[in-house]
């Protein structure tokens, strides 16, 4: 660690990253042994934004939404998938959730792709009404997605139904929470298409390509995201994380001056 | 316990009991006709009585031997994950599932003992509280999977939730898409299942192991010719199979080589190599690999390209251009200073030493199979830069078939690659 700190201080790299993979020969990235399971929630790419930010834009509300999504993911990973060794970092523009449990470290791309679908509610379940398990995950993400879904986005897919869905949103959300598919059908009709649409949006809460890539590199916590002048930060308490912790001293001092 | 220890082998063909039975039996070349016929016929079994094995040590031995004979025979005339091999996997799955159904009532404990060698199954009572309504729903989905719609009072016990197992034990089935994580009921890292669902999971695992075993045999046979008896049994099996509903190409497109699934050594050879390695890369590796990847055996031993449908035209119009282009990319270009290597390429394709092959020349020389990885790494170490897929395979062709099977079927990666800061680093590493 000291050597690394010394190297960074001496060389001022533009960015510093750490691999999710463990190799036999790390310098050559050869002899893959295992990989962390990583989830990347990028605030600028959220499928639905609560604040009205456009694509690629980020505000504090987007970041707060990203933090809530990461907390939801961590809940699913521990309660459903039984994973315990979860670590969070603020990446500068979003959050990384890194799972170090040995039981998932050898999983390959296909299994990781299935995990993304599970933890984001990216597939419509065969039975919506299970109290626990995947149905619960699906319902929770659908509620999150539909809550902030603007009417324009609905209109793109459901030109005739969008207005009705918007008007009955509160009832639809309640039916979703309770897993009452028939009730949703009664409210807006064509509930299957609505659920499929929400599932598609749900899968966008996480950048799936990061998760399935067993050789991905992620920004190194404690280094600077030079694109946005924020610190990439290891987070010990995700529930009470505040963005202020990630503002570098030179920015604060600059602000004072 | 089963009446005798070896009976476990009829549920798990890869168990120590099964291996011991094979070790203590005569060689495949001297097996009785009854076993040869059973190896052929087992792919057509339909009824329960055909699948069940009585508690007779001799019957168990015949069953195990016929299974291994079927696998070896298929590997000698087919290729990994071919139609024949998939059918063998599916049939093995069906047979094991039926046997579990048949045995479970009287022999639940020894059946679970066999299952626990692969899946860490526990009794549901040990798991924390699961909502009652969820247990009913698990029961209903088990019934649905079995195609049964009965009133609750007559639900057979195999559809009542009884067990749990760590979902990570199902990784092999998740990898090939035989199980969807979102179809499982997961609590605290465990999947809650009914006996029926447990049979399904275990038999799926056995089907998969069967396919993988044939793939490993294929690699072995690419080093040495399979015995005649295996080839004969293999050809009998292939001739019994119903014609494919869809042309083989639907799964492994005959009309198209998927270069993205080529192993690193072949990709390197395709990109052209330096002097000293050109002959091996182009004439030995690329020629054999491309021809066999593009023209897989159709369930019988094919030693001549002209015996394959459109084999000659495919060779001339698709395979040769790829080989010659790669030769041109070598530095210096291979045929510039070694024009005779063109004839050598045709020689390796089985057309004898010629630069202008005709269909009737096919068979004048041997059509070479791709060398095994061990051979590539010793003869041309500069080509061998293994990636993580290489860990489990021993032949470049198996690499290709395996990736075609696993990645070819994946419906893309979940959405969300809009990250603006991603860039590809050397070696294909991406950052987030």
């Amino acid at each position: 660690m000291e050597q690394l700190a010394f190297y960074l201080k001496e060389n001022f790299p533009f960015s510093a990253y750490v691999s999710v993979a463990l190799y036999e020969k790390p310098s050559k990235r050869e002899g893959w042994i295992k990989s962390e399971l990583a989830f990347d929630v990028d605030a600028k790419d959220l499928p639905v934004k609560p604040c009205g930010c456009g694509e690629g834009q980020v505000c504090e509300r987007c970041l707060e939404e990203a933090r809530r999504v990461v907390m939801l993911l961590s809940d699913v990973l521990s309660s459903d998938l039984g994973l315990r060794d979860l670590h969070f970092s603020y990446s500068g523009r979003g959050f990384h959730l890194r799972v170090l449990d040995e039981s998932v470290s050898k999983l390959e791309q296909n299994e990781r792709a299935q995990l993304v679908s599970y933890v984001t509610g990216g597939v419509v379940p065969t039975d919506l009404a299970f109290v626990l398990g995947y149905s619960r995950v699906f319902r929770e993400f659908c509620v999150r997605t539909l809550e902030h879904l603007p009417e324009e986005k609905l209109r793109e897919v459901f030109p005739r139904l969008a207005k009705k869905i918007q008007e009955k949103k509160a009832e639809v959300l309640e039916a979703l929470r309770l897993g009452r598919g028939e009730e949703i059908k009664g409210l807006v009709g064509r509930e299957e298409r609505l659920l499929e649409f929400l599932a598609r949006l749900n899968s966008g809460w996480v950048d799936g390509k990061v998760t399935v890539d067993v050789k991905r590199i992620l920004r190194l916590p404690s280094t600077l995201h030079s694109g946005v002048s924020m610190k990439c930060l290891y987070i010990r308490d995700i529930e009470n994380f505040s963005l202020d912790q990630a503002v570098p001293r030179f920015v604060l001092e600059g602000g004072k001056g | 316990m089963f009446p005798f220890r070896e009976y476990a082998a009829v549920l798990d063909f890869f168990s120590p009991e099964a291996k011991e039975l094979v070790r203590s039996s005569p060689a495949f070349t001297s097996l009785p006709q009854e076993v040869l016929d059973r190896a052929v016929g087992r792919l057509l079994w339909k009824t329960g009585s055909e699948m069940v094995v009585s508690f007779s040590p001799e019957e168990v031995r015949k069953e195990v031997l016929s299974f291994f004979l079927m696998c070896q025979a298929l590997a000698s005339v087919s290729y990994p994950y071919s139609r024949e091999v998939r059918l063998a996997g599916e049939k093995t799955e069906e047979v094991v599932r039926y046997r579990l159904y048949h045995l479970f009532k009287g022999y639940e404990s020894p059946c679970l003992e066999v299952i626990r060698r692969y899946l860490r199954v526990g009794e549901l009572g040990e798991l924390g509280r699961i909502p009652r309504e969820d247990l009913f729903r698990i029961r209903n989905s088990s019934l649905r999977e079995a195609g049964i719609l009965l009133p609750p009072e007559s639900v057979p016990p195999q559809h009542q939730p009884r067990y749990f197992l760590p979902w990570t034990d199902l990784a092999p089935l998740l990898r090939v898409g035989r199980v969807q994580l979102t179809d499982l009921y997961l609590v605290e890292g465990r999947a809650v299942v009914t006996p029926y669902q447990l049979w399904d999971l275990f038999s799926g695992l056995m089907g998969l192991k069967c396919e993988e075993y044939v793939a490993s045999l294929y690699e072995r046979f690419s080093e040495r010719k399979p015995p005649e008896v295996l080839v004969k049994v293999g050809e009998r099996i292939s001739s019994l199979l119903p014609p494919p509903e869809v042309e083989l190409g639907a799964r492994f497109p005959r009309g198209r080589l998927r270069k993205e699934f080529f192993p690193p050594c072949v990709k390197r050879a395709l990109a052209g190599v330096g002097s000293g390695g050109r002959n091996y890369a182009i004439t030995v590796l690329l020629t054999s690999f491309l021809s066999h990847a593009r023209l897989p055996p159709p369930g019988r031993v094919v030693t001549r390209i002209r015996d394959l449908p459109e084999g000659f035209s495919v060779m001339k119009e698709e395979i040769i251009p790829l080989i010659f282009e790669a030769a041109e990319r070598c530095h210096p270009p291979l045929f510039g200073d070694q024009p005779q290597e063109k004839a050598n390429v045709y020689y390796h394709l089985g057309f004898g030493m010629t630069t202008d092959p005709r269909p009737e020349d096919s068979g004048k020389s041997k059509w070479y199979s791709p060398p095994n990885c061990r051979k590539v790494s010793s003869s041309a170490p500069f080509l061998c830069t293994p990636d993580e897929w290489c860990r489990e395979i021993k032949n470049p062709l198996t690499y290709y078939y395996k990736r075609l099977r696993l990645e070819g079927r994946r419906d893309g990666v979940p959405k969300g690659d809009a990250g603006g800061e991603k860039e590809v680093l050397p070696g294909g590493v991406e950052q987030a």
Side-chain angles (χ1 to χ4, degrees), chain A residues 21-54:
Chain A
L22 191 72
Y23 298 98
E24 277 162 15
K25 294 180 192 165
S27 60
K28 293 182 175 172
R29 292 195 295 276
E30 279 178 12
W32 180 84
I33 299 169
K34 59 182 180 178
S35 293
E36 296 171 11
L37 176 67
F39 296 92
D40 178 21
V41 181
D42 197 330
K44 77 173 168 34
D45 297 325
L46 300 178
V48 177
K49 297 193 175 184
C51 50
C53 272

Side-chain angles (χ1 to χ4, degrees), chain A residues 15 17 23 29-33 40 42 44-45 47 78-84 91 93 96 103-104 106-111 113-118 123 125-127 129-134 200 203-204 206-210 212-219 225, chain B residues 129-131 133-135 137-138 141 144 167-168 171-190 385-389 391-392 403 405-407 409-410 412-422 425-432:
Chain A
S15 298
Y17 295 89
Y23 298 98
R29 292 195 295 276
E30 279 178 12
W32 180 84
I33 299 169
D40 178 21
D42 197 330
K44 77 173 168 34
D45 297 325
S78 54
S79 64
D80 285 29
L81 296 153
L83 302 171
R84 296 282 175 262
S91 69
R93 250 187 331 198
H96 291 157
S103 59
V104 291
K106 296 269 187 187
L107 294 183
E108 295 179 14
Q109 294 191 347
N110 283 1
E111 300 97 290
Q114 288 218 29
L115 272 168
V116 175
S117 295
Y118 191 102
V123 174
T126 41
D127 186 339
F130 277 101
V131 178
L132 302 177
Y134 177 66
R200 215 166 42 243
S203 61
V206 161
D207 183 346
K209 287 204 171 169
V210 173
V212 301
D213 186 351
V214 294
K215 291 184 171 178
R216 198 77 172 191
I217 54 172
L218 299 175
R219 198 171 283 281
H225 189 314
Chain B
R129 261 178 70 86
I130 292 173
E133 54 264 57
D134 280 4
L135 292 174
R137 288 184 181 277
I138 295 169
S141 61
R144 251 197 325 270
W167 69 269
T168 45
L173 296 170
L174 294 168
R175 190 169 307 148
V176 297
R178 286 202 194 186
V179 168
Q180 297 298 316
L181 203 56
T182 50
D183 286 341
L184 298 172
Y185 181 84
L186 300 179
V187 181
E188 293 169 21
R190 275 92 170 245
T385 52
D387 62 15
E388 65 265 28
W389 288 90
R391 281 181 298 136
E392 291 166 7
R403 286 198 66 180
R405 184 196 191 216
L406 293 177
E407 295 204 7
R409 57 156 281 282
R410 197 189 302 148
V413 165
K415 187 209 155 277
D417 184 39
E421 63 166 322
K422 291 171 187 67
L425 298 180
V429 175
E430 287 189 42
Q431 64 187 53

Side-chain angles (χ1 to χ4, degrees), chain B residues 357-414:
Chain B
R358 296 161 302 165
E360 55 269 34
D361 294 330
S362 190
K364 279 192 173 169
S365 54
K366 183 185 167 189
W367 177 19
Y368 282 82
S369 302
N372 269 350
C373 300
R374 196 158 36 83
K375 191 83 181 150
V376 176
S377 67
S378 63
S379 306
F382 56 93
L383 288 176
C384 190
T385 52
D387 62 15
E388 65 265 28
W389 288 90
C390 295
R391 281 181 298 136
E392 291 166 7
I393 59 106
K394 295 189 183 102
N395 187 283
L397 209 51
T398 322
Y399 178 108
Y400 179 61
Y401 290 137
K402 188 162 189 170
R403 286 198 66 180
L404 260 184
R405 184 196 191 216
L406 293 177
E407 295 204 7
R409 57 156 281 282
R410 197 189 302 148
D411 298 323
V413 165

Side-chain angles (χ1 to χ4, degrees), chain B residues 138-316:
Chain B
I138 295 169
R139 180 202 65 186
N140 291 347
S141 61
S142 180
L143 284 167
R144 251 197 325 270
E145 286 160 26
I148 304 170
L149 294 167
L150 292 174
E153 59 268 21
S154 57
V155 171
Q158 67 261 32
H159 294 293
Q160 300 289 358
R162 277 193 54 197
Y163 306 111
F164 68 80
L165 65 151
W167 69 269
T168 45
D169 286 2
L170 302 172
L173 296 170
L174 294 168
R175 190 169 307 148
V176 297
R178 286 202 194 186
V179 168
Q180 297 298 316
L181 203 56
T182 50
D183 286 341
L184 298 172
Y185 181 84
L186 300 179
V187 181
E188 293 169 21
R190 275 92 170 245
V192 178
V193 293
T194 65
Y196 180 86
Q197 289 166 329
L198 183 65
W199 306 338
D200 229 24
L201 295 171
F202 178 74
S203 58
L205 215 50
M206 287 300 117
L208 193 60
K209 281 184 80 69
C210 168
E211 290 185 24
E212 283 168 357
Y213 176 61
V214 179
S216 73
L217 291 169
Y218 173 83
E219 289 171 335
R220 204 188 300 167
F221 289 151
S222 61
E223 275 189 337
R224 59 168 196 268
K225 212 175 148 212
E228 193 57 24
V229 62
L230 294 183
V231 173
K232 279 190 179 151
V233 173
E235 289 183 345
R236 274 179 69 194
I237 291 174
S238 290
S239 69
L240 283 175
L241 296 183
E245 284 169 24
V246 185
E247 166 57 13
L248 193 73
R251 190 175 174 89
F252 293 153
R254 272 176 184 279
R256 207 173 126 228
L257 283 167
R258 302 279 300 269
K259 291 181 192 169
E260 67 271 31
F261 299 142
F262 285 180
C265 54
V266 171
K267 283 183 181 162
R268 285 209 158 195
L270 265 179
V273 297
S275 62
R278 295 175 301 166
N279 302 61
Y280 191 88
I282 303 298
T283 315
V284 178
L285 177 63
L286 205 55
T287 302
S288 58
F289 176 86
L290 292 177
S291 58
H292 282 84
R294 179 69 179 81
L295 296 164
R300 62 195 158 86
V301 171
V302 176
T303 54
R304 299 185 304 186
I305 281 180
R306 77 162 182 200
D307 291 342
L308 289 162
E310 298 176 45
F312 186 75
S313 59
V314 166
M315 186 274 292
K316 284 279 276 185

